[in-house]
Amino acid sequence: MLSIAERHKYILDMLNKNGFIKVSDIARELDVTPVTIRKDLKYLEEKKLLYRTHGSASPVNPHTADINLQEKEKMRTSEKKNIALAACRLIEENDSIIIASGSTAHTFAQELNPKGNLTVVSASLKTSILLNNIPNIEVIQLGGIVRKNSFSVVGDFAAKLFDDLTCSKLFLGVDGIDFENGITNSNIEEALLNKKMMKAALRTIILTDSSKFGKRGFGRICSLEQVDMIITDPGIPQHTANAIEEMGIELIIA
């Protein structure tokens, strides 16, 4: 049987390797009780070596803050552009799509240059103004309450439109992707609107840089199984990429 110090080292090594551990898995691998592993995790958290969640642990606090869009636009700009270019290749002639709010989704809009006509339903005021200047793009701007942090609309007025339309694809930026908690947004009202968008789209495509994996926002949008495709950058951990593909989700690394 391993000593306490050896257990702690094993736990930290597995966290470093996988980015996430479950109490039940570690207990089985070390042939000890879940109670013992929970005590180990509590001790390691007190030493600020990990962050405990329900039945599991991660290397850092997984919860994200609601950051202003102008600040988000300065982060990981090259990764977002590559993700946007990959997403643009999915646009078909005479397509109808939904673009949600967020900096990565807006970067996608900046790169759009469709062949033929394109109809875009947009939650973002900035995205709508940008795309309105492109002759062959028709923009449908959602109405509702404008969020100052994201320059996007939320609320019942915005959500009701999706009862009466169907689009081929939803391009959705997120604040967190977590195997336990699924796809999340840092704002609950935006998360609720994203749910309505998903129901109105034939395919849901997540546009996210790799820093969002293992993170959790306040508002849950859906489980990971409900997503059709994820486009991200090469920074995604290999074990995460493997797990996503094993779930049958198409993964594009741009």
Side-chain angles (χ1 to χ4, degrees):
M1 183 175 290
L2 296 180
S3 67
I4 294 175
E6 288 172 326
R7 283 203 313 271
H8 290 176
K9 182 179 185 303
Y10 182 85
I11 288 169
L12 294 174
D13 286 345
M14 294 303 289
L15 265 181
N16 184 55
K17 178 182 177 182
N18 298 322
F20 174 82
I21 59 170
K22 289 185 177 181
V23 169
S24 57
D25 292 342
I26 297 297
R28 184 179 62 254
E29 291 162 12
L30 297 184
D31 194 24
V32 296
T33 67
V35 173
T36 297
I37 298 303
R38 289 192 196 98
K39 289 179 180 178
D40 289 337
L41 295 182
K42 184 175 185 294
Y43 173 83
L44 292 170
E45 184 178 50
E46 289 171 353
K47 296 295 182 182
K48 301 189 184 303
L49 296 173
L50 54 76
Y51 187 89
R52 286 189 301 158
T53 55
H54 181 68
S56 61
S58 61
V60 295
N61 188 335
H63 299 286
T64 62
D66 188 10
I67 303 172
N68 187 283
L69 180 65
Q70 292 177 320
E71 292 301 313
K72 286 184 178 180
E73 288 177 338
K74 300 173 186 176
M75 302 174 180
R76 298 178 176 262
T77 53
S78 61
E79 289 92 339
K80 290 174 183 176
K81 182 169 182 178
N82 289 335
I83 291 165
L85 291 171
C88 285
R89 291 193 282 271
L90 302 175
I91 300 299
E92 301 169 277
E93 192 169 350
N94 300 316
D95 218 345
S96 298
I97 65 172
I98 305 167
I99 302 179
S101 60
S103 58
T104 309
H106 184 68
T107 303
F108 163 60
Q110 290 175 318
E111 300 299 329
L112 276 176
N113 185 22
K115 294 178 181 178
N117 296 319
L118 175 66
T119 300
V120 175
V121 181
S122 171
S124 164
L125 301 180
K126 288 186 69 174
T127 294
S128 293
I129 292 169
L130 170 73
L131 295 181
N132 194 55
N133 292 318
I134 302 176
N136 58 330
I137 297 182
E138 181 180 45
V139 179
I140 300 174
Q141 168 63 55
L142 298 178
I145 301 166
V146 179
R147 290 195 65 236
K148 296 185 185 299
N149 256 18
S150 63
F151 297 96
S152 63
V153 297
V154 294
D156 290 341
F157 287 113
K160 283 179 181 177
L161 179 64
F162 293 109
D163 292 333
D164 299 312
L165 59 82
T166 300
C167 293
S168 69
K169 306 171 190 77
L170 163 62
F171 293 91
L172 179 62
V174 300
D175 290 325
I177 298 181
D178 177 273
F179 284 102
E180 282 192 312
N181 219 41
I183 307 298
T184 53
N185 191 301
S186 56
N187 180 268
I188 186 64
E189 289 182 296
E190 285 196 2
L192 292 172
L193 181 59
N194 293 157
K195 288 176 184 282
K196 294 286 288 188
M197 291 175 173
M198 287 183 66
K199 290 181 179 179
L202 300 179
R203 299 179 73 199
T204 296
I205 300 164
I206 303 298
L207 308 180
T208 181
D209 68 76
S210 57
S211 70
K212 305 295 175 59
F213 291 99
K215 298 292 186 180
R216 296 181 182 183
F218 179 67
R220 186 173 187 271
I221 300 169
C222 66
S223 65
L224 203 52
E225 290 85 353
Q226 293 173 266
V227 169
D228 298 292
M229 177 186 291
I230 296 173
I231 306 178
T232 189
D233 62 74
I236 180 175
Q238 188 58 52
H239 64 88
T240 301
N242 293 341
I244 288 170
E245 290 180 328
E246 286 172 5
M247 295 172 71
I249 299 168
E250 188 173 353
L251 179 66
I252 296 177
I253 299 177

